Amino acid sequence: MTAQVDRTAEAAGAAEVAGAAEAAGAGRAARAPGTVRRRVLVGAAALLMLTGGATIAHGAADGTDGAPAPDGGGHAAHSTGTGAGTGTGTGAGEAGPVGGASRSGGFYMRADGVFSPPGSFVPSDALTYDTALVPAAARIEITQYADRTSHRVGTRLRGLVPNRAYGMHVHTSPCAADPASAGPHYQHRASATADPVNEVWLDFRTDRNGNGEAEARHEWGFRDGGARSVIVHDAQGGAGKRVACFTVPFSS
């Protein structure tokens, strides 16, 4: 009688263990898809971080999608500023130019670059001719906004010499190894003199971190293919040594 009771208890215990194992297996199976999905998402996020993230920009120029909106300026003006520029995109290299027509009828373009000396292993549209004033790996961003009544060109730079004044103008030709290849200042009307009313001047002064920004505003826009680059000069005003150049796809 005692042996029979022991065998019955043993069988019941075995059944209970088997049931618990089956329930645990079912729980693992139920959790597996979610676990796999979580691992895939974590892996994708890690891959995105390793590749430097993503640059997002919008062509709309009406203030609703991150691009500047017209502020009713319209007259020729030249403004300079100091500030910690917000950067020129994410990732280790340059982001391609972006732009397009806005819902308000304007046009917005942004181009950014990372300066490197001519002939560097990694080609760049941003060239530095004097690494003491514009170090390799310094960054530049150019924006352009145009509508029926106004035209604005802005710049932001990072990684230059702190607390220093620089000159900058829009030029007529693309950058090349020879600084003179960018041609003369772009002029709205042909003139023997240089001035910020007839040209696009973007003189700026860097802050203590080597960052700077400026914006020029006019009632007129560029002629088709007439503006192709910006030149950074070692001094403000109408002239100065050309220390860096950035080829920019300006729109007319």
Side-chain angles (χ1 to χ4, degrees):
M1 183 66 177
T2 300
Q4 182 175 358
V5 171
D6 290 343
R7 284 195 298 271
T8 300
E10 181 180 355
E16 182 177 355
V17 170
E22 182 178 358
R28 286 194 297 270
R31 291 193 300 270
T35 302
V36 171
R37 284 194 295 270
R38 286 194 295 271
R39 288 175 180 172
V40 169
L41 290 175
V42 171
L47 179 60
L48 183 60
M49 293 174 63
L50 289 174
T51 55
T55 297
I56 301 175
H58 303 275
D62 53 10
T64 59
D65 293 317
D71 60 3
H75 64 284
H78 173 234
S79 63
T80 62
T82 58
T86 58
T88 56
T90 58
E94 300 175 2
V98 298
S102 77
R103 292 184 291 273
S104 61
F107 174 85
Y108 175 71
M109 181 279 301
R110 188 193 76 214
D112 62 334
V114 180
F115 286 106
S116 63
S120 296
F121 178 74
V122 178
S124 175
D125 286 332
L127 301 177
T128 173
Y129 307 120
D130 186 339
T131 55
L133 294 180
V134 180
R139 292 177 172 269
I140 183 171
E141 175 188 272
I142 297 293
T143 56
Q144 179 189 11
Y145 171 81
D147 61 17
R148 291 180 294 273
T149 61
S150 66
H151 183 247
R152 290 162 38 182
V153 176
T155 186
R156 291 178 178 176
L157 299 100
R158 295 181 64 188
L160 304 186
V161 177
N163 301 313
R164 193 186 193 284
Y166 291 82
M168 181 186 286
H169 312 101
V170 172
H171 282 247
T172 59
S173 300
C175 308
D178 181 0
S181 297
H185 296 180
Y186 177 89
Q187 293 186 325
H188 178 53
R189 294 186 177 89
S191 174
T193 60
D195 69 79
V197 176
N198 193 42
E199 302 174 350
V200 180
W201 291 22
L202 295 163
D203 294 356
F204 63 93
R205 185 175 184 85
T206 57
D207 63 13
R208 64 182 181 179
N209 297 314
N211 305 328
E213 58 185 60
E215 183 180 81
R217 309 178 188 183
H218 299 84
E219 294 177 346
W220 46 263
F222 296 130
R223 293 181 295 277
D224 188 22
R228 302 293 301 278
S229 63
V230 293
I231 286 281
V232 181
H233 297 269
D234 66 343
Q236 295 186 347
K241 177 185 175 183
R242 301 185 180 195
V243 295
C245 183
F246 181 36
T247 299
V248 183
F250 287 114
S251 176
S252 57

